[in-house]
Amino acid sequence: MKYFTISEFLYSPSAVQQRIWNGASRQQEDNIITLVEKVLDPLRQHYGKPISITSGFRCPKLNAVMPNASKSSQHLFGEAADICSNDGPIGNYALGQLIVQLGHFDQVIFEDVPMDSLLPLWIHVSWRHNGSNRQEIRKHVIGTGNVYPIVSRKELGL
C-alpha cells in the first residue's frame, strides 16, 4: 500500500456522527489491501495526483444508515471505495476513464452525473477478492433512484 492506508478506509464522518465503531476483520483488511494493490495504487501512480477516499469499508451498522446503500454492498467486504479527485467532476471523469483503461476492476460507477453528461461527483470502484471481476461500467444519474445503466467504452471516449 504505497499511497493509501487502512485508516483511510475505516474512517467515516457518518460513523463518527452516529457513534458507530467501523472496525474491519482481518479478511476485510486483506480485501482492502488487495483493492489498493490491484486498483488504487496503480491508479494513483498513473494519475499522478492525490486521490481521496470518501467512503471505504463499512461495517453492517454503518452501511444500514447510509442513504441508498445496497444491503450487499462491496463496501461491507472491503472490496470497494468511493473516490474523488481534487479536480472536481472533470478529474473524477478522468479517474473513471483511467480505471477502465488500466483494466483491473470489478465495477466502476460514475456516481451522481447530470442527465446530459458523464461528469461524476465521485467514482465508485470495486475489486472482488475471489478474482471473478465483471469489468462493469455504470453510471448513476442524479434523481433516477437506484437505476445504474451500463456505460460503454465508446461512451467514455475509449
Side-chain angles (χ1 to χ4, degrees):
M1 294 182 61
K2 184 174 179 181
Y3 298 104
F4 300 92
T5 65
I6 293 287
S7 62
E8 286 177 276
F9 279 85
L10 300 180
Y11 176 74
S12 166
S14 296
V16 172
Q17 183 182 35
Q18 300 281 331
R19 297 180 185 249
I20 296 170
W21 181 75
N22 191 40
S25 70
R26 183 67 213 159
Q27 178 62 57
Q28 292 159 332
E29 285 187 7
D30 287 345
N31 293 346
I32 291 167
I33 291 166
T34 301
L35 172 64
V36 170
E37 290 175 349
K38 297 285 186 182
V39 181
L40 296 176
D41 272 350
L43 176 64
R44 170 61 177 84
Q45 182 73 39
H46 282 86
Y47 190 60
K49 299 178 189 178
I51 297 169
S52 298
I53 296 170
T54 59
S55 183
F57 173 75
R58 295 183 201 144
C59 70
K61 191 172 181 180
L62 177 58
N63 197 64
V65 300
M66 299 300 289
N68 302 318
S70 166
K71 291 180 179 170
S72 60
S73 171
Q74 288 178 278
H75 289 277
L76 290 163
F77 306 103
E79 295 179 337
D82 296 337
I83 59 174
C84 282
S85 159
N86 290 335
D87 298 325
I90 292 172
N92 295 338
Y93 176 76
L95 285 176
Q97 279 187 312
L98 191 51
I99 292 167
V100 173
Q101 287 173 330
L102 293 171
H104 288 97
F105 65 96
D106 173 49
Q107 199 174 53
V108 173
I109 304 174
F110 289 71
E111 295 277 8
D112 282 7
V113 299
M115 185 64 73
D116 59 349
S117 86
L118 273 175
L119 296 177
L121 293 183
W122 74 92
I123 295 287
H124 168 93
V125 62
S126 64
W127 177 267
R128 289 181 170 178
H129 74 276
N130 66 8
S132 61
N133 292 290
R134 300 167 284 183
Q135 300 258 308
E136 280 187 354
I137 308 163
R138 296 185 173 271
K139 67 180 176 181
H140 176 259
V141 177
I142 297 168
T144 60
N146 285 333
V147 178
Y148 292 85
I150 296 283
V151 174
S152 71
R153 293 176 194 284
K154 184 177 180 180
E155 284 177 89
L156 287 179
L158 301 177

